[in-house]
Amino acid sequence: MSELYKELLEGNQNWVRNTLKLNPDFFDSLAEAQNPQFLWIGCSDSRVPATEITNTLPGSIFVHRNIANVVVHTDSNLLSVVNYAVEVLKVKHIIVCGHYGCGGVKAAMSNEDFGYLNNWLLHIKDVYRLHQKELDAIEDTHKRFDRFVEVNVQEQVHDLSKVSFIQEKWKTGEFPYIHGWVYSLKDGLLRDLDVTINSQETLDKVFRYD
């Protein structure tokens, strides 16, 4: 078991060999620069890799992941990634992608004590509080869980749109667009939640910067 990690190194070598068979210049081109058009803010869940589920190549998507794909306005890690994506890489689209069956969202639905993790789950529990009337009315716990995943994504999209330097970009153009998607582990399909934002107009006045 202690040698299990070596499978990853062997897998890497196999991937390189197979990639070079298809495109001998692949790594030379990849090493020159990255020019992604997309930033992906997703869950850390190992079953939801951005490039694989979108059938895209390395270099296509700039990625940030955390538990339950949460946008926290005091998270310097996330804000640094987003700032670099919009200011340096000039990405055109930001995708906040959750997934059904998310362990972080499920944990936030419960009253179980998860120790240190409770502090992160508070951000998700706040989403439940905002949508409590709708969620509590869903008697089927599985359907309530799925809906909680969806509204969590929606709230993270709105939270990202409040970021000051995102709003600065909108003053000079239409980009970036911020989208909310959900991935299904059961069928492998992505669902657009139709909560796309690309201007200050959807924000309450208190969140807008002149």
Side-chain angles (χ1 to χ4, degrees):
M1 185 64 70
S2 63
E3 300 293 305
L4 186 61
Y5 73 95
K6 290 185 177 180
E7 292 184 5
L8 301 180
L9 296 172
E10 293 171 0
N12 168 253
Q13 293 172 8
N14 290 331
W15 174 68
V16 170
R17 283 194 293 268
N18 293 332
T19 300
L20 290 175
K21 287 179 183 178
L22 295 174
N23 183 359
D25 299 322
F26 179 79
F27 293 106
D28 290 334
S29 299
L30 193 65
E32 290 179 0
Q34 63 170 328
N35 187 32
Q37 299 297 301
F38 309 98
L39 167 62
W40 180 280
I41 299 175
C43 183
S44 297
D45 194 298
S46 61
R47 300 167 294 177
V48 194
T51 51
E52 283 86 345
I53 66 174
T54 56
N55 195 32
T56 52
L57 293 172
S60 302
I61 305 176
F62 199 56
V63 177
H64 174 85
R65 296 169 73 172
N66 61 45
I67 293 175
N69 42 271
V70 177
V71 173
V72 180
H73 294 127
T74 53
D75 183 350
S76 60
N77 185 349
L78 177 137
L79 292 176
S80 296
V81 169
V82 176
N83 185 266
Y84 185 80
V86 299
E87 296 291 350
V88 179
L89 298 177
K90 310 295 184 184
V91 300
K92 298 297 188 291
H93 299 271
I94 302 174
I95 298 155
V96 179
C97 186
H99 67 97
Y100 297 118
C102 178
V105 173
K106 186 175 183 180
M109 281 184 67
S110 77
N111 296 109
E112 187 174 347
D113 186 347
F114 292 94
Y116 179 79
L117 185 59
N118 292 333
N119 300 285
W120 185 258
L121 297 178
L122 285 174
H123 300 295
I124 315 169
K125 287 179 179 287
D126 276 339
V127 172
Y128 196 102
R129 176 179 56 84
L130 291 172
H131 297 268
Q132 185 169 0
K133 184 175 181 180
E134 175 191 357
L135 293 171
D136 283 352
I138 303 174
E139 295 184 4
D140 186 301
T141 55
H142 296 292
K143 292 181 179 178
R144 187 188 312 138
F145 181 17
D146 285 349
R147 183 57 183 154
F148 191 13
V149 167
E150 294 171 355
V151 296
N152 181 55
V153 170
Q154 292 172 6
E155 289 300 326
Q156 307 318 315
V157 168
H158 287 294
D159 282 344
L160 189 57
S161 71
K162 299 169 188 174
V163 172
S164 58
F165 57 79
I166 293 286
Q167 294 190 44
E168 282 294 323
K169 301 300 288 186
W170 286 338
K171 291 177 182 178
T172 58
E174 62 179 309
F175 297 108
Y177 283 74
I178 306 173
H179 311 274
W181 294 359
V182 174
Y183 176 69
S184 173
L185 296 167
K186 293 181 179 179
D187 60 19
L189 294 175
L190 287 161
R191 177 186 175 193
D192 187 344
L193 295 177
D194 196 25
V195 290
T196 295
I197 299 175
N198 75 315
S199 77
Q200 293 178 307
E201 299 305 313
T202 61
L203 295 176
D204 291 336
K205 187 176 181 180
V206 70
F207 294 115
R208 300 181 189 180
Y209 297 101
D210 296 330

